[in-house]
């Protein structure tokens, strides 16, 4: 099985000139709930965002003649952009009133919405802030279960939680594209278990050259174009040992 997420002529996360830039640009909005007194843990927010992307991609409304299908196709025909904004209180309630799907983790709530034109944000989402997603983990995350998918973050890059949430979503999406229909069904029926962890510096080179789906950021925000941000290590995509 090839682990390339898309044909060579259509790789949506890569930097540089791309025919996808000529298509109308869409964005997938994600909103994370951050209440003043009870912010979510960073790792849980990243994992919940990644699962939210997978739930939307697998939703029947995103396929065929579904109500979100055209928007999803338009989004996938251009650069695959995701933008994470934050909300609390009445802002969150207004966001929840818009069409979308809310995913709940251990401490995080993330709502994902069908793709929208880059300059066509609904009023109640456009007013939300992108900044202010500096989340922390109260305790170090436990080691990832090697039997489950792991989205490995590049240890050499510093990203805000919002940026890292979007990158984790990209990694989950590349893994989804690389799986067979049977593998996708199994992952969905299991509830999309996954972990997001920062790779050990000594492991990053091996992970990023292992033939697994690899996110290269387009460089719109925070980090340099072409930066490798995430390796999507799904057990079904690992090369057999020699």
């Amino acid at each position: 099985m090839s682990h390339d997420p898309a044909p060579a002529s259509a790789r949506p996360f890569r930097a540089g000139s791309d025919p996808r830039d000529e298509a109308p640009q869409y964005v997938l909005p994600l909103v994370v709930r951050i209440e003043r007194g009870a912010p979510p843990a960073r790792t849980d927010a990243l994992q919940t965002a990644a699962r939210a992307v997978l739930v939307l991609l697998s939703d029947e409304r995103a396929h065929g003649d579904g109500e979100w299908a055209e928007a999803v196709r338009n989004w996938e025909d251009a650069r695959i952009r995701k933008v994470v904004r934050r909300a609390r209180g009445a802002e969150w309630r207004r966001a929840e009133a818009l069409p979308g799907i809310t995913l709940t983790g251990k401490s995080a709530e993330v709502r994902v919405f069908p793709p929208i034109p880059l300059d066509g944000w609904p009023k109640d989402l456009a007013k939300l802030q992108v900044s202010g997603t500096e989340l922390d983990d109260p305790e170090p995350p436990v080691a990832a279960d090697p039997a489950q998918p792991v989205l490995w973050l590049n240890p050499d890059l510093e990203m805000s939680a919002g940026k890292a949430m979007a990158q984790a979503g990209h990694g989950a999406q590349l893994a989804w594209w690389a799986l067979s229909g049977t593998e996708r069904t199994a992952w969905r029926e299991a509830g999309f278990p996954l972990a997001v962890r920062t790779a050990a510096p000594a492991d990053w080179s091996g992970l990023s050259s292992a033939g697994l789906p690899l996110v290269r950021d387009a460089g719109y925000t925070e980090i340099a174009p072409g930066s490798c941000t995430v390796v999507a290590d799904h057990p079904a995509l690992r090369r057999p040992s020699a």
Side-chain angles (χ1 to χ4, degrees):
M1 172 188 294
S2 170
H3 303 323
D4 213 23
S9 61
R11 294 174 182 164
F13 299 106
R14 293 183 180 253
S17 177
D18 192 302
R20 286 172 175 259
D21 294 330
E22 304 304 319
Q25 298 297 303
Y26 279 68
V27 62
L28 186 80
L30 296 112
V31 174
V32 56
R33 184 177 185 178
I34 303 181
E35 299 291 347
R36 287 186 189 276
R42 179 185 174 98
T43 295
D44 190 43
L46 269 59
Q47 292 173 170
T48 304
R51 289 178 55 237
V53 171
L54 292 166
V55 168
L56 182 133
L57 289 171
S58 63
D59 193 285
E60 61 183 12
R61 290 168 288 184
H63 300 279
D65 296 325
E67 60 186 291
W68 299 343
E70 183 178 2
V72 170
R73 286 193 293 268
N74 289 339
W75 173 57
E76 291 182 341
D77 283 343
R79 294 275 187 173
I80 306 298
R81 300 187 190 211
K82 299 177 182 72
V83 172
V84 176
R85 299 187 179 222
R86 61 180 172 87
R88 63 173 177 258
E91 296 173 333
W92 175 255
R93 293 190 290 273
R94 286 192 292 269
E96 280 207 303
L98 297 173
I101 304 170
T102 297
L103 265 288
T104 302
K106 292 180 179 180
S107 62
E109 288 183 80
V110 176
R111 188 163 180 84
V112 61
F113 302 86
I116 56 174
L118 193 58
D119 58 355
W121 285 74
K123 178 180 65 175
D124 286 330
L125 297 185
K127 292 189 293 187
L128 301 178
Q129 296 296 310
V130 176
S131 61
T133 57
E134 290 77 17
L135 302 175
D136 296 309
D137 282 313
E139 299 178 358
V142 300
D145 182 349
Q148 291 190 348
V150 184
L151 304 174
W152 294 106
L153 301 176
N154 186 336
D156 296 326
L157 296 176
E158 291 189 10
M159 294 182 281
S160 67
K163 178 70 173 181
M165 288 169 69
Q167 297 301 304
H170 291 339
Q173 186 167 0
L174 293 192
W176 177 255
W177 282 345
L179 294 172
S180 69
T182 300
E183 291 161 348
R184 289 181 182 183
T185 298
W187 199 11
R188 182 179 67 246
E189 290 181 349
F192 292 120
L194 59 82
V196 179
R197 298 289 186 272
T198 299
D203 294 340
W204 179 250
S205 178
L207 284 167
S208 59
S209 60
L212 294 164
L214 176 64
V215 178
R216 293 183 184 273
D217 191 61
Y220 296 120
T221 60
E222 293 193 25
I223 56 179
S227 298
C228 299
T229 58
V230 178
V231 172
D233 183 10
H234 192 292
L237 302 177
R238 294 172 189 157
R239 291 174 175 167
S241 299

